[in-house]
Amino acid sequence: RGDFDIIGGSSPITHAEVIKVALDLVRRFYNSKAIVIRLNHSKLAEAVCSWAGVPQERRQNVAEFLSSTLVQYCPNKADRKSQWSLIRGQLLQDLRLSEEVVEKLHKADQRFCGSADLVLARLRGTLFYDKSACKALDDLSTFLKCLRVWSVEEHIAIDVLMPPSDYYYTDLFFQIYSKEGSPASSSHEKLLAVGGRYDMLMENAWDNTHKTKPPGAVGVSIALEKFLPNNPSSDVGLPRIENSISVLVCSKGGGGLLNERMELVAELWEANIKAQFVPQEDPSLQEQYEYASDHDIKCLVFITEAGLSQTDLVKVRHLDARKEKDVEKEEIVKFLSEAISLQFKNPTIWS
């Protein structure tokens, strides 16, 4: 198993980053058109159970039952729809749910499980009275916007009946699958990765003598055995970034310029340049400098609203060298690649 985690940061933004990391690996071994990302939120699942009328004391049993019988199939597919004729009797008899509750769970599967954008709109119209559910929907909406900035084109579905893969996942959680078989036939889904936010686990492990609250955390666990070839010693061709110099993409004004920071970071990643950004919508200059200090980052790239709209320039600043230079945005990858190769020590790069 391979794990990737981010400690701290804003939840939807860090969720998007861990999924991007997982997808960067998945796409090297699987066709992106066959990849499915399934999402849910703990507060959303609770709200749907309340809407359906599932008694509190039976929700865990219902979730486990649906997970083993229904949720293993992709939403809105024929093999999932066919399960209802088989499980209806068990929900009524074994789990002692009323006809009305079972019918509402069936309706939830039909209306609230499927294409993310469509399901979000339906859920907002149904759960408008539930403040906790509305906050969860806002988180999901921000999360989807972040994925679009990073050009995640895979099919993204919301599945309100999908329980978390582990008890400690709270708030937003996800599973990544690869569809196998032809679309016309009954296709099987291979589970490749699971993840989500696990603040509760951090709180349980936190030393209570600390005056501060534990930071939030989000992570993904990847089933590496489903990626590696039969010969573990063979070269899978994954690139390595040998240079240890990292870049922090910062914003100054403009409401945080989150999309622009994310786009520039992705461009640097694509060029195998180690790059980070403060995972908040509108971090202050002080927060960004503190982040650089905490992570021992000396090279900062500043973007401003005026710089992008009027001059198309970004400012590169090196804290140790005490040098800075305005660089055309389309030349930033070339400039940083050359500067990093020279360890930022050649004075000519700043002229």
Side-chain angles (χ1 to χ4, degrees), residues 41 43-44 46-47 127 129-138:
H41 195 292
K43 291 182 174 60
L44 200 56
E46 278 294 308
L127 302 175
Y129 56 87
D130 189 318
K131 291 183 179 180
S132 182
C134 289
K135 174 63 169 63
L137 292 171
D138 288 342

Side-chain angles (χ1 to χ4, degrees), residues 245-251 261 264-265 268-269 273-280 283-303 314-319 332 336 340 344:
I245 293 178
S246 189
V247 175
L248 182 66
V249 176
C250 304
S251 63
R261 283 185 290 137
L264 183 51
V265 163
L268 298 178
W269 286 341
I273 296 174
K274 291 175 67 174
Q276 300 182 46
F277 68 105
V278 176
Q280 298 174 17
S284 66
L285 274 177
Q286 181 179 341
E287 287 172 322
Q288 293 174 99
Y289 274 111
E290 287 176 352
Y291 185 97
S293 176
D294 291 343
H295 295 79
D296 197 29
I297 300 174
K298 307 301 181 184
C299 180
L300 279 56
V301 176
F302 284 91
I303 56 177
V314 298
K315 185 181 293 292
V316 179
R317 179 175 297 161
H318 197 279
L319 301 180
I332 189 63
L336 288 175
I340 289 172
F344 288 94

Side-chain angles (χ1 to χ4, degrees), residues 138-153:
D138 288 342
D139 285 349
L140 280 167
S141 181
T142 301
F143 167 77
L144 292 172
K145 289 177 182 176
C146 291
L147 288 183
R148 291 192 184 99
V149 171
W150 278 331
S151 302
V152 173
E153 305 296 342

Side-chain angles (χ1 to χ4, degrees), residues 219-289:
V220 58
S221 294
I222 303 170
L224 293 179
E225 74 276 5
K226 297 177 182 178
F227 295 83
L228 298 177
N230 293 329
N231 180 5
S233 63
S234 63
D235 183 9
V236 295
L238 295 175
R240 296 181 62 87
I241 303 177
E242 301 295 345
N243 203 301
S244 61
I245 293 178
S246 189
V247 175
L248 182 66
V249 176
C250 304
S251 63
K252 188 176 181 181
L257 300 171
L258 176 61
N259 289 4
E260 290 79 3
R261 283 185 290 137
M262 292 176 65
E263 288 171 354
L264 183 51
V265 163
E267 186 179 348
L268 298 178
W269 286 341
E270 195 67 27
N272 280 345
I273 296 174
K274 291 175 67 174
Q276 300 182 46
F277 68 105
V278 176
Q280 298 174 17
E281 289 196 32
D282 189 9
S284 66
L285 274 177
Q286 181 179 341
E287 287 172 322
Q288 293 174 99
Y289 274 111

